Amino acid sequence: MPNRIAARLDELASRSECALVCYVVAGYPDVKMSQDAIDSLVSGGADIIEIGIPFSDPIADGPTIQAASHSALEKGVTPEKALQLAKSIRKRHPDLPLLAMTYCNILVRVGVEKFMAHAKECGIDGFILPDMPIEEAGAYLQAASKLDLSMVFLASPNTSEARLKNIVKSTSGFLYLVSVYGITGARKSFEDYTLNAIKNAKRLAGAIPVAVGFGIKTPAHVRLMKGAGADGVIIGSAIVDIMSKSSSKAKMAKELVNFAKSMKQACKK
Amino acid sequence: MLGNHPVGGKFGKYGGKYIPETLAPAVEELESAYEKYKNDPDFQKELSYYLTEYAGRPTPLYFAKNLTEHVGGAKIYLKREDLLHGGAHKTNNTLGQALLAKKMGKKRIIAETGAGQHGVGTALACSVLGLTAEVYMGAKDVERQKLNVFRMELLGAKVHSVQSGSKTLKDAINEAIRDWIANVNTTYYLIGSVVGPHPYPMMVRDFQSVIGHEVKQQMRELQGRLPDAVVACVGGGSNAMGSFYPFLDDQDVMLCGVEAGGEGIKSGKHSATLAAGSEGVLHGMFTYLLQDECGQVTETHSISAGLDYPGVGPEHAMLKDIKRARYAASTDDEAIEAFVTLSRLEGIIPALEPSHAISYAMKLAKEMSKDDIIVVTLSGRGDKDVQVVQDYLNNKNRRKKKHAK
């Protein structure tokens, strides 16, 4: 069976649609609600789900995701509980591409290959580790190729051309282009350098799709990224914001469905 | 040769560059700038000027006669980094890096601080070199090191109180890294210890090695030989690494790092990373960490804010594994006792951080012969800690009285 992430991106590319990648912190506000949130996002049109496994020191995350991770950890959410969440999502959505996003130490602590093999058993299709640069990724890449997991590496607007080419060589699934100089968190607007970075990444990525993340929160942002050539958009903090502000479960579900619908609509245009 | 490390950015298997991609160009730029300037005679001359004329190097190597007689064992010498401008060894590194930043054309400097000594060191170096300084400090540390917060502000630095996580040094580093990511093109991150991604552990060690080089020379002048042991406290481990490094390949010199044992290793309330930690990745490096079985970094405890850190420099991790250095821990109680002892016997009020090293050196001296020599790096002075010590002693007296009733 081909990797679900590659399959979904191929399918979307054939329709010239941008992929809507949605991030949810496992166990925020609690495990059940993070599961419901994923269901809502999928029903609204999310193409790929990223499950955030909370880590104590998330250096690439802004206040919104930091607070959500911290709250999940306070409630006793472990990597194992996050993977059990993935398992239940996998049962209900057999074809949904599922990525795990976390930090190196979560894998290193139990053994990189052991953790990845277990994640695979729980239905995870690939990994995103924002503090894992290609230079340190030997064991990680080896395990991934053995387990047929997608390895999503990140690139930044200041990544040199030579380095970007090397990152692309190690990447499978898609390249995660960080939109801005900064950490995660919804933003009001983007500058030209973001659009140039997308064009540049597309030029160098060859067959690897480019998804853009950090700060995207409105359909207008999505159209902007798509217009510059992005194959996907990654939404994180904006989703966590909706979840933290919703006053009830029913309201949260409705708001997430509507949010995903409006973003997906923009992905199609 | 142990002194040849790091090799490819690593100390054995430790170290490396586990950093977000946005920082990769900045770290590369720093690496090549450091390579360029570290052997540049003009740079070294300028740094040497500031270290001597401005900061007061060399610092004395003082024979603590009263302490030695009190203990009744090996001779104890104190490397007086407490007399360095700023009140701690931190100035060696902040002057070095601030000067490097200036050469690189970076005018905005950010730093993290635990006890506030590195913050003060950064603030004064930026002030004298005409750079702007912003210092991240955990809210808990802001509270317990008020004096240093005010000192930083007087020196013109902006202090950001960090409210996330455990509100101590580790969270201050997280926040400084986030700032660096957001302002990577204009900002220099001045790390205060031998931690972080390569080249920081190497570079900070190099700037701090002036301590060990002086000890070596002073010991030769005073005694015509090398010491038998060098003892220093270890939080991140910069004063220890600076003291140890020139002796790494002198196998007869015993190297002892002393961590913060807090309320005792068994209590779980400590910061003894090398004694009780396990391997992991934090703040850009592979090293020993205090963490739970899932890889979440745990909260640490020490009476000394400067040692309150759940990681440790990767070079120390290597030295532990190959047994070139030994690592021990002193508890809060032991550190306070050494703090009081040194104050009374030698008229020197040490910072709480090196009080841990002094406590251990006193034990070690007893086990050694009277002809042996121990050098303890007295990494900072204790003015900043008098309030904490006073509260601690008052509480202890209260507990004692209660117990007696």
Side-chain angles (χ1 to χ4, degrees):
Chain A
M1 183 181 146
N3 187 297
R4 293 182 188 93
I5 296 170
R8 178 67 55 99
L9 287 162
D10 280 351
E11 180 203 324
L12 291 166
S14 71
R15 297 200 300 264
S16 309
E17 263 180 48
C18 210
L20 179 62
V21 185
C22 292
Y23 170 91
V24 170
V25 176
Y28 178 78
D30 59 40
V31 173
K32 178 70 174 66
M33 280 170 86
S34 56
Q35 180 178 309
D36 293 348
I38 293 171
D39 287 345
S40 302
L41 291 164
V42 170
S43 81
D47 296 300
I48 297 174
I49 293 291
E50 265 181 39
I51 294 181
I53 303 176
F55 176 52
S56 53
D57 296 84
I59 52 171
D61 284 304
T64 307
I65 292 176
Q66 274 178 55
S69 297
H70 187 72
S71 146
L73 287 173
E74 296 266 283
K75 288 190 177 151
V77 176
T78 57
E80 181 56 29
K81 283 183 184 164
L83 292 178
Q84 290 308 317
L85 168 68
K87 205 169 177 178
S88 76
I89 298 292
R90 174 55 66 228
K91 262 187 206 156
R92 288 205 305 285
H93 307 278
D95 301 323
L96 178 70
L98 266 185
L99 281 159
M101 178 157 178
T102 189
Y103 288 80
C104 287
N105 199 45
I106 296 295
L107 277 67
V108 167
R109 178 64 171 138
V110 292
V112 170
E113 184 170 342
K114 191 178 162 196
F115 189 92
M116 289 167 77
H118 181 49
K120 168 100 181 179
E121 282 166 17
C122 295
I124 292 290
D125 299 307
F127 274 90
I128 306 175
L129 302 178
D131 59 344
M132 175 70 88
I134 46 172
E135 289 86 353
E136 310 290 352
Y140 174 61
L141 284 168
Q142 224 170 3
S145 103
K146 203 161 142 188
L147 296 162
D148 187 30
L149 288 166
S150 290
M151 291 291 95
V152 175
F153 280 91
L154 292 90
S156 165
N158 62 353
T159 306
S160 71
E161 195 159 320
R163 191 172 167 85
L164 193 67
K165 280 181 186 163
N166 282 331
I167 293 173
V168 167
K169 272 185 211 154
S170 298
T171 300
S172 53
F174 59 87
L175 178 71
Y176 190 138
L177 179 69
V178 174
S179 63
V180 290
Y181 296 117
I183 48 181
T184 61
R187 272 170 180 76
K188 279 199 179 110
S189 62
F190 290 91
E191 292 174 43
D192 285 345
Y193 77 81
T194 296
L195 307 180
N196 291 334
I198 297 171
K199 285 172 195 156
N200 199 40
K202 276 302 290 173
R203 180 169 63 81
L204 296 166
I208 301 282
V210 175
V212 186
F214 284 31
I216 299 172
K217 71 166 192 176
T218 66
H221 291 163
V222 174
R223 284 191 290 272
L224 194 66
M225 303 304 162
K226 193 183 183 212
D231 302 299
V233 287
I234 304 160
I235 323 290
S237 298
I239 291 168
V240 176
D241 271 336
I242 293 173
M243 292 173 70
S244 62
K245 283 174 192 151
S246 296
S247 51
S248 71
K249 274 187 187 183
K251 226 172 170 180
M252 181 187 91
K254 200 176 152 198
E255 281 173 23
L256 287 175
V257 172
N258 288 340
F259 177 73
K261 269 186 187 164
S262 68
M263 297 300 259
K264 186 62 204 176
Q265 200 58 40
C267 285
K268 288 178 181 171
K269 271 176 192 160
Chain B
M1 294 281 281
L2 273 178
N4 291 341
H5 285 84
V7 177
K10 300 214 167 157
F11 301 91
K13 61 181 172 177
Y14 300 106
K17 293 182 201 174
Y18 294 85
I19 45 168
E21 198 53 39
T22 305
L23 295 180
V27 168
E28 269 171 42
E29 183 191 0
L30 175 61
E31 218 178 325
S32 58
Y34 181 61
E35 282 304 317
K36 179 180 164 193
Y37 287 108
K38 84 172 174 188
N39 297 316
D40 179 88
D42 289 339
F43 179 83
Q44 288 303 337
K45 203 174 145 194
E46 198 174 349
L47 177 57
S48 168
Y49 166 79
Y50 282 107
L51 287 175
T52 53
E53 303 299 318
Y54 175 73
R57 296 216 75 87
T59 60
L61 183 65
Y62 168 71
F63 174 49
K65 186 164 167 277
N66 299 340
L67 184 68
T68 298
E69 279 169 9
H70 171 76
V71 173
K75 295 190 191 81
I76 300 173
Y77 281 80
L78 303 175
K79 180 58 175 163
R80 299 288 309 273
E81 294 301 296
D82 60 316
L83 295 177
L84 190 67
H85 179 48
H89 72 292
K90 296 291 185 189
T91 305
N92 298 322
N93 171 50
T94 58
L95 282 173
Q97 285 198 59
L99 199 57
L100 181 65
K102 197 172 172 177
K103 301 278 176 207
M104 291 169 72
K106 310 263 181 186
K107 295 207 170 68
R108 178 176 181 262
I109 308 293
I110 56 168
E112 81 295 337
T113 197
Q117 285 304 128
H118 175 59
V120 168
T122 301
L124 65 86
C126 288
S127 163
V128 72
L129 293 171
L131 305 164
T132 67
E134 291 185 36
V135 180
Y136 288 90
M137 187 169 186
K140 194 173 145 191
D141 293 334
V142 167
E143 190 49 42
R144 60 179 167 175
Q145 301 284 347
K146 282 180 194 149
L147 177 68
N148 271 344
V149 174
F150 187 56
R151 285 172 81 201
M152 286 184 265
E153 286 167 353
L154 273 177
L155 292 162
K158 188 171 176 196
V159 180
H160 299 281
S161 174
V162 175
Q163 299 290 342
S164 61
S166 60
K167 302 184 172 70
T168 60
L169 179 56
K170 128 184 129 70
D171 310 284
I173 297 179
N174 291 341
E175 217 45 50
I177 293 175
R178 290 179 187 121
D179 180 315
W180 195 23
I181 294 172
N183 300 294
V184 65
N185 296 324
T186 56
T187 297
Y188 182 96
Y189 180 19
L190 205 164
I191 295 186
S193 192
V194 286
V195 301
H198 178 72
Y200 283 104
M202 168 183 78
M203 182 171 65
V204 176
R205 174 201 70 193
D206 291 350
F207 287 133
Q208 291 296 358
S209 290
V210 65
I211 303 173
H213 285 300
E214 282 179 11
V215 168
K216 220 171 183 175
Q217 198 189 333
Q218 289 165 322
M219 211 67 243
R220 283 197 177 118
E221 283 163 13
L222 290 167
Q223 293 281 342
R225 67 176 183 97
L226 297 182
D228 299 287
V230 177
V231 181
C233 63
V234 176
S238 71
N239 90 82
M241 222 38 254
S243 304
F244 293 175
Y245 183 67
F247 293 100
L248 281 189
D249 292 300
D250 298 312
Q251 295 289 339
D252 293 340
V253 180
M254 185 205 290
L255 305 174
C256 309
V258 187
E259 297 185 299
E263 296 176 17
I265 305 282
K266 278 183 194 155
S267 71
K269 289 183 175 172
H270 61 82
S271 309
T273 310
L274 289 162
S278 50
E279 292 170 358
V281 175
L282 179 70
H283 297 149
M285 59 182 166
F286 180 61
T287 186
Y288 278 83
L289 299 179
L290 291 173
Q291 55 183 335
D292 69 11
E293 70 283 357
C294 299
Q296 308 296 355
V297 180
T298 48
E299 292 192 12
T300 52
H301 166 83
S302 170
I303 186 143
S304 129
L307 301 181
D308 213 346
Y309 180 59
V312 66
E315 194 163 9
H316 286 295
M318 177 186 79
L319 295 177
K320 175 192 158 79
D321 280 10
I322 61 169
K323 299 193 166 64
R324 175 61 192 98
R326 60 152 103 167
Y327 294 90
S330 298
T331 62
D332 289 349
D333 281 340
E334 290 169 328
I336 294 277
E337 202 186 315
F339 180 98
V340 172
T341 303
L342 194 70
S343 302
R344 299 226 173 118
L345 290 180
E346 299 286 356
I348 297 170
I349 301 175
L352 278 171
E353 290 79 10
S355 296
H356 289 74
I358 289 159
S359 170
Y360 181 75
M362 287 163 68
K363 283 188 220 162
L364 188 65
K366 271 185 202 156
E367 296 164 9
M368 293 167 76
S369 94
K370 291 195 171 183
D371 298 329
D372 289 336
I373 296 171
I374 300 174
V375 172
V376 188
T377 302
L378 186 56
S379 58
R381 66 175 191 230
D383 310 42
K384 68 180 176 62
D385 294 318
V386 291
Q387 187 68 54
V388 171
V389 174
Q390 191 180 29
D391 292 349
Y392 187 91
L393 291 175
N394 286 344
N395 279 335
K396 205 175 164 186
N397 285 338
R398 235 173 274 145
R399 279 200 304 271
K400 259 190 200 161
K401 274 183 200 156
K402 213 172 165 187
H403 202 69
K405 276 176 197 166

